[in-house]
Amino acid sequence: MVPFLRRGHRLAGPALVTITAIGLLSIMDGMIKYVTMEHGAGQIAMLRYAFGSLAAAAVFFATRTPLPAGATLRPHLWRSVLVSITAVTFFYSLSVLQLAVALALSFTSPLFIALFAALFLGERPGRSILLALGLGFAGVLVVLWNELDVSAGGSLASGPGIAAALVAAVTYALAMVTLKSRAARDPAPTIVLLQNVFSCVLVSPLAVLQWTPPTGAALLLFCGIGLLGTAGHLCMAWAYARADASRLGVFEYTAFVWALAIGLFAFNEIPAPSTLAGAALIAGGALLASGRRKVREAEVEIGP
């Protein structure tokens, strides 16, 4: 049996919930890729968080979660700045890059998660985690080599799109590490509600500048995007409250499996052999994320 799925293993629950969350968010990314054809990244981010706020509020009040204290708002506002930057830059990359390229670049985020978790949370990833990260990153490089090699039939992606995807990977990693620092303190419904509300407000000025009236069908898509985003981040908050950020970060690589399915069924993309080879390396890295480690609550706050 796969090590992290052994009965009683403390990583099994958080790992499976994280993989589920990544699946939900990957489906959301596919829907966002579709709406980028007619709407700017700022407007997409604002509508995504507006509908996400409604879904998160419903969960918040249905679970009778206590209202957050004033001191709780400041760290969540700082984290929402990171989340907003991540959303706008990644949505922009989806609009100008192929889905596989944008997602492959985003898979560098577990490397940054492990780095920031060590710097800010005092986590010390073991050899298996470092090897898993290395295998996963090697898989990403294999995919990128094929996608960006013009002589092999690929197409060079734009510099701004690549830069935006890498910025999104860094800010996403910081956001997930700060999630770890708050997940042990605040209920998941509070975390997700504040993230959606604050992010919606933060990206609204950019949304106004890019505004294009959405059709009824587009509004339904945005509603689905908001629901998937809220469900995914609720799962993330639950998982990060129960396991190390550096260990769960490795499972970000499973998004590639979701990306293959979404590309095939939604965009008629047939994966190249090198893409499948990269996916195998990524999956192998994720499977190495096993082993027992004590869950450690962060003793520091991250942010200004």
Side-chain angles (χ1 to χ4, degrees):
M1 183 178 291
V2 177
F4 69 82
L5 294 180
R6 289 172 183 161
R7 185 182 298 274
H9 198 296
R10 69 178 62 190
L11 181 61
L16 291 174
V17 172
T18 299
I19 292 171
T20 300
I22 292 168
L24 295 173
L25 296 175
S26 296
I27 296 171
M28 181 192 74
D29 289 340
M31 296 171 68
I32 288 171
K33 172 71 174 175
Y34 181 79
V35 297
T36 57
M37 292 184 238
E38 296 184 359
H39 302 284
Q43 180 182 359
I44 293 171
M46 192 277 284
L47 289 173
R48 175 256 182 274
Y49 288 118
F51 282 105
S53 296
L54 295 176
V59 173
F60 182 87
F61 290 111
T63 56
R64 298 182 179 180
T65 305
L67 292 174
T72 303
L73 301 181
R74 180 172 173 269
H76 284 287
L77 177 59
W78 153 246
R79 181 171 179 272
S80 295
V81 172
L82 295 171
V83 170
S84 299
I85 296 173
T86 302
V88 173
T89 53
F90 185 64
F91 294 169
Y92 170 75
S93 74
L94 285 177
S95 71
V96 298
L97 301 177
Q98 294 182 357
L99 180 61
V101 175
L103 289 175
L105 289 171
S106 75
F107 293 159
T108 58
S109 61
L111 300 173
F112 295 115
I113 288 176
L115 173 63
F116 296 142
L119 290 175
F120 298 122
L121 302 182
E123 295 183 6
R124 292 295 180 265
R127 291 182 181 179
S128 63
I129 293 297
L130 295 177
L131 179 58
L133 290 170
L135 281 175
F137 189 60
V140 170
L141 292 179
V142 170
V143 175
L144 281 180
W145 183 268
N146 177 75
E147 292 290 338
L148 303 181
D149 186 1
V150 176
S151 63
S155 60
L156 287 174
S158 68
I162 291 176
L166 291 174
V167 168
V170 173
T171 54
Y172 176 80
L174 277 171
M176 297 314 293
V177 172
T178 57
L179 171 60
K180 173 63 180 175
S181 73
R182 295 308 311 176
R185 296 174 168 86
D186 304 322
T190 298
I191 294 172
V192 177
L193 176 61
L194 292 178
Q195 172 183 306
N196 278 276
V197 172
F198 284 150
S199 297
C200 181
V201 173
L202 288 169
V203 300
S204 290
L206 180 59
V208 171
L209 294 176
Q210 298 180 336
W211 189 262
T212 301
T215 63
L219 285 175
L220 287 176
L221 282 174
F222 282 118
C223 181
I225 287 169
L227 289 173
L228 287 170
T230 297
H233 286 293
L234 281 170
C235 291
M236 283 288 196
W238 184 92
Y240 272 71
R242 291 162 175 81
D244 286 344
S246 57
R247 188 168 296 280
L248 292 180
V250 178
F251 293 100
E252 295 288 338
Y253 291 130
T254 61
F256 198 82
V257 178
W258 293 100
L260 289 176
I262 293 169
L264 179 62
F265 293 107
F267 299 100
N268 295 318
E269 296 176 350
I270 306 298
S274 59
T275 301
L276 297 177
L281 287 172
I282 291 168
L287 293 178
L288 286 176
S290 60
R292 296 179 181 272
R293 291 184 65 196
K294 183 179 179 180
V295 177
R296 186 172 182 271
E297 179 178 343
E299 298 296 337
V300 296
E301 285 293 348
I302 303 171

